[in-house]
Amino acid sequence: MRLTAPRGTTTRPTSDRVKEALFSLLDSAGRLDGMRVLDLFAGSGSLGIEALSRGAEQVTFIEKDRHALESLRLNLGHTGFSDRAEVLPFDCLQALERLVRQKVCFDLILLDPPYQAGLHQKVIELAGSALLAADGLVVAEAAARTPLPERIGPCNRSDRRIYGDTALELYTMEQRHAP
């Protein structure tokens, strides 16, 4: 289904190639059925909507740009997923603090911040330490030429896939071993 995208250059949509690769990876790992998903820097909502179309139970979308929010809400209505979606029209860090206070937990956290904003590590650390389920997964879209650290907060990078100029960096919670 074709989704509406905001005009201008304030958002950078995930390429179809990267999106298909991401969801093939998640599908093969059985990572979507019944999951609660957090889509940070959601833009038009294409990643979260794709998760819903592949069996995610619920998606919380975080987006602050007014034009992107209009597209996101139109896309949710057009796809019929509004009843399984929550849209928080806030800055990412404000929204994360709000979700932490609500003690919400997610099985999958998707984030695609502006590459030059320097938010990847801060967001992964906060989301991973307070919002990620014990067996959850964080997927960050980042610039391929600048790898993110192997470890961020309580999360360890479990995989890194490169598609042209884009990298998908996958993080899981550090496994704690009994003494």
Side-chain angles (χ1 to χ4, degrees), residues 82-102:
S82 295
D83 62 328
R84 293 172 38 208
E86 177 183 21
V87 178
L88 298 178
F90 300 113
D91 169 81
C92 176
L93 296 175
Q94 290 173 324
L96 288 175
E97 290 170 3
R98 179 182 176 147
L99 293 169
V100 167
R101 284 192 306 273
Q102 294 173 352

Side-chain angles (χ1 to χ4, degrees), residues 2-14 41-47 49 63-75:
R2 192 130 176 96
L3 300 177
T4 301
R7 294 177 197 230
T9 58
T10 58
T11 60
R12 177 191 33 79
T14 299
F41 308 95
S44 66
S46 69
L47 293 179
I49 289 170
E63 178 56 59
K64 72 174 184 177
D65 182 81
R66 181 174 53 93
H67 299 293
L69 281 165
E70 289 172 12
S71 293
L72 171 57
R73 288 184 173 119
L74 282 171
N75 290 334

Side-chain angles (χ1 to χ4, degrees), residues 14-25 115 139-144 159-170:
T14 299
S15 74
D16 289 340
R17 177 178 173 218
V18 171
K19 184 166 70 169
E20 186 56 41
L22 168 62
F23 283 96
S24 292
L25 186 66
Y115 295 171
V139 179
E141 190 173 326
D159 200 352
R160 182 172 197 263
R161 308 277 175 110
I162 297 174
Y163 306 93
D165 293 336
T166 302
L168 291 176
E169 309 243 12
L170 286 68

Side-chain angles (χ1 to χ4, degrees), residues 86-159:
E86 177 183 21
V87 178
L88 298 178
F90 300 113
D91 169 81
C92 176
L93 296 175
Q94 290 173 324
L96 288 175
E97 290 170 3
R98 179 182 176 147
L99 293 169
V100 167
R101 284 192 306 273
Q102 294 173 352
K103 297 184 180 180
V104 181
C105 192
F106 297 95
D107 305 298
L108 175 63
I109 298 174
L110 304 169
L111 68 126
D112 183 13
Y115 295 171
Q116 72 282 4
L119 291 170
H120 284 90
Q121 291 184 53
K122 188 172 191 172
V123 171
I124 292 170
E125 184 168 357
L126 179 58
S129 63
L131 299 172
L132 188 63
D135 60 346
L137 179 69
V138 176
V139 179
E141 190 173 326
R145 69 185 174 280
T146 313
L148 297 176
E150 291 281 330
R151 181 184 169 102
I152 300 176
C155 297
N156 291 319
R157 187 171 62 210
S158 58
D159 200 352

